Amino acid sequence: MSKSIFYHAGCSVCVNAEQELVNLISTEVEIVNLGEVKSRIPEAEKVGVNSVPALVTPNGNVMHINFGASIDDVK
Amino acid sequence: MSKSIFYHAGCSVCVNAEQELVNLISTEVEIVNLGEVKSRIPEAEKVGVNSVPALVTPNGNVMHINFGASIDDVK
């Protein structure tokens, strides 16, 4: 299948994530590897990234996706 | 700005999420509100959804995004 399914429950975190995902499909996504480009860690922390992987949307919302490593671990 | 930024650190969870996000942009996304359609909760649990919001990709990967509510709370 080539379909993704987004499960939510109408809560505010859910509704927000839904809207952001819908928006995402029509925006550009820049990919930054903080392990390689450590100079951008302060920028990521400033916008609220606590762990990676994380997606920061055009509205400034930080979506922490699963959990790979904390920012402190990346440092 | 209309750009999203995906921060990662090269870890396996990160690389996987990156690939899934890139794929997402070219796939269809079905939106399911488990609070309204409780009959689909077993289906969501079966594929590994522990909390909402969550995105299940075509490859069957479950991406838990932030945390809204546990599946038990939705029940």
Side-chain angles (χ1 to χ4, degrees):
Chain A
M1 77 169 175
S2 64
K3 189 181 69 171
S4 300
I5 306 178
F6 178 71
Y7 292 103
H8 73 114
C11 60
S12 61
V13 172
C14 296
V15 170
N16 180 54
E18 175 186 338
Q19 193 54 56
E20 295 292 5
L21 277 174
V22 169
N23 289 344
L24 176 66
I25 296 170
S26 59
T27 61
E28 180 190 349
V29 179
E30 177 184 8
I31 296 180
V32 178
N33 185 333
L34 295 176
E36 293 175 350
V37 193
K38 291 186 188 292
S39 61
R40 293 189 65 174
I41 290 176
E43 161 201 315
E45 287 183 307
K46 192 175 174 187
V47 295
V49 173
N50 298 318
S51 64
V52 287
L55 179 72
V56 179
T57 71
N59 298 328
N61 280 305
V62 181
M63 302 172 77
H64 292 100
I65 303 167
N66 295 337
F67 179 84
S70 71
I71 287 290
D72 284 342
D73 290 337
V74 177
K75 289 177 184 173
Chain B
M1 77 170 175
S2 64
K3 190 182 71 173
S4 300
I5 306 179
F6 179 72
Y7 292 102
H8 72 115
C11 59
S12 61
V13 172
C14 297
V15 170
N16 180 53
E18 174 186 337
Q19 193 55 54
E20 295 293 5
L21 277 174
V22 169
N23 289 343
L24 176 66
I25 295 170
S26 59
T27 61
E28 180 190 349
V29 179
E30 177 184 8
I31 296 181
V32 178
N33 185 333
L34 294 176
E36 293 175 350
V37 193
K38 291 187 187 294
S39 61
R40 294 188 67 175
I41 290 178
E43 161 201 314
E45 287 183 307
K46 192 175 175 187
V47 295
V49 173
N50 298 319
S51 63
V52 286
L55 178 74
V56 179
T57 71
N59 297 328
N61 280 305
V62 181
M63 302 172 76
H64 292 100
I65 303 167
N66 295 338
F67 180 84
S70 71
I71 287 290
D72 284 341
D73 290 338
V74 177
K75 289 177 183 171

